[in-house]
Amino acid sequence: MPPSTNKRMLITLENPKSPISESYRMLRSNLDFTSFDNNEKILMVTSAGPSEGKSTTTTNLATVYAQSDKRVLIVDADLRKPTVHLSFNRSNRNGLSNILVGQAEWKECIQSSGIDNLSIIPSGPIPPNPSELLSSKRMKKFIEEVKDEFDIILFDTSPILAVTDAQVVAAFCSGVILVVDAGKTKKDTLSKAKHTLERADARILGVVLNNISRSKGDSYYYYYYGT
Ligand SMILES: Nc1ncnc2c1ncn2[C@@H]1O[C@H](COP(=O)(O)OP(=O)(O)OP(=O)(O)O)[C@@H](O)[C@H]1O
Ligand SMILES: [Mg+2]
């Protein structure tokens, strides 16, 4: 399968001086002040519902980390609606699902993103049983193997309230970034998402408010509130 032409814009790459890119750098700085056990930055980006900006946040945050000379890996753990490969115009033929069913080693699935220091492992073909695969021993083994090769690993995931996939991934991560569509997500939905993550023993590092001013026809901004 050739790389998809359905490319998504990566603002931190295409317009690094914009205020939006600056807000991703602010998010990065805030995370730099957070301490992690064993210095392991294995982070997951999720949201309560669909289309709140998880993948946009994952790919742009990864890009600003890579721009600061960190070795960064994005893993597309959204095995239902994967898009990471589209942001970097890469093939999705081999990826996480192949690793998790034992068909491939991670080294066979990793791809350069085209940005220095930034590698990606796309989702691979969509499997019938994502949450089962994501909670498997192979997932644990995969993370054990890749974690020493990178300064930061970012998992893009499915919405936390829709399916259990992201809860399962949270168990392997040192922290979670919760993206909230400011114009759409209701308070009680957000609170449900927070409780679901807490039940999964996830450490919520902060909330990214997305789409703060889209409703006003303005450009969009991201703000980060550490907890
Ligand atoms: N702040 C924003 N302003 C304008 N468009 C945005 C903004 N954030 C995201 N988008 C666009 O909205 C769509 C959904 O964003 P994105 O794919 O990042 O969300 P998602 O939470 O990963 O969705 P899914 O649940 O489908 O995985 C994309 O087309 C993206 O380019
Ligand atoms: Mg997504």
Side-chain angles (χ1 to χ4, degrees):
M1 196 172 63
S4 169
T5 51
N6 185 12
K7 195 169 177 327
R8 293 160 56 105
M9 184 194 173
L10 201 55
I11 187 135
T12 42
L13 183 68
E14 290 173 31
N15 194 353
K17 292 198 171 137
S18 68
I20 301 164
S21 299
E22 181 53 33
S23 52
Y24 283 112
R25 287 190 289 273
M26 274 167 57
L27 172 58
R28 181 189 67 197
S29 313
N30 279 300
L31 289 169
D32 285 342
F33 282 110
T34 308
S35 58
F36 294 94
D37 287 348
N38 308 323
N39 219 5
E40 276 173 20
K41 273 197 189 144
I42 306 173
L43 307 183
M44 177 186 110
V45 180
T46 195
S47 63
S51 295
E52 296 200 53
K54 295 177 289 299
S55 303
T56 305
T57 303
T58 308
T59 49
N60 282 289
L61 179 60
T63 302
V64 295
Y65 261 114
Q67 286 165 343
S68 71
D69 286 336
K70 295 275 193 273
R71 294 166 303 162
V72 188
L73 174 67
I74 303 179
V75 182
D76 198 342
D78 187 342
L79 300 182
R80 296 172 196 263
K81 275 176 69 183
T83 59
V84 169
H85 61 291
L86 300 176
S87 293
F88 302 99
N89 207 18
R90 292 294 183 264
S91 157
N92 196 25
R93 192 180 350 172
N94 288 310
L96 185 63
S97 62
N98 304 88
I99 299 168
L100 298 182
V101 296
Q103 277 171 354
E105 296 294 322
W106 68 269
K107 286 198 170 151
E108 299 169 68
C109 299
I110 199 158
Q111 298 186 52
S112 147
S113 66
I115 297 170
D116 284 350
N117 303 314
L118 177 54
S119 304
I120 67 164
I121 295 186
S123 71
I126 294 176
N129 51 346
S131 46
E132 202 180 296
L133 289 183
L134 291 167
S135 59
S136 66
K137 284 196 185 120
R138 285 203 184 99
M139 178 72 169
K140 191 163 183 241
K141 181 170 165 269
F142 159 64
I143 294 174
E144 286 297 319
E145 286 174 6
V146 287
K147 72 178 186 200
D148 293 333
E149 312 269 335
F150 296 92
D151 299 310
I152 173 157
I153 300 174
L154 282 172
F155 282 94
D156 191 9
T157 63
S158 303
I160 195 88
L161 294 182
V163 283
T164 57
D165 303 13
Q167 291 176 55
V168 163
V169 177
F172 298 110
C173 293
S174 38
V176 174
I177 297 163
L178 190 58
V179 181
V180 178
D181 186 326
K184 193 176 78 180
T185 310
K186 301 267 183 302
K187 229 186 196 171
D188 60 327
T189 309
L190 180 57
S191 157
K192 251 188 227 157
K194 182 171 168 272
H195 286 125
T196 305
L197 283 167
E198 283 167 354
R199 269 203 310 277
D201 275 336
R203 179 179 174 205
I204 302 176
L205 301 174
V207 172
V208 171
L209 284 187
N210 189 18
N211 280 338
I212 292 210
S213 50
R214 184 157 61 165
S215 55
K216 291 180 203 148
D218 210 338
S219 57
Y220 56 87
Y221 291 87
Y222 291 75
Y223 293 93
Y224 175 78
Y225 300 101
T227 47

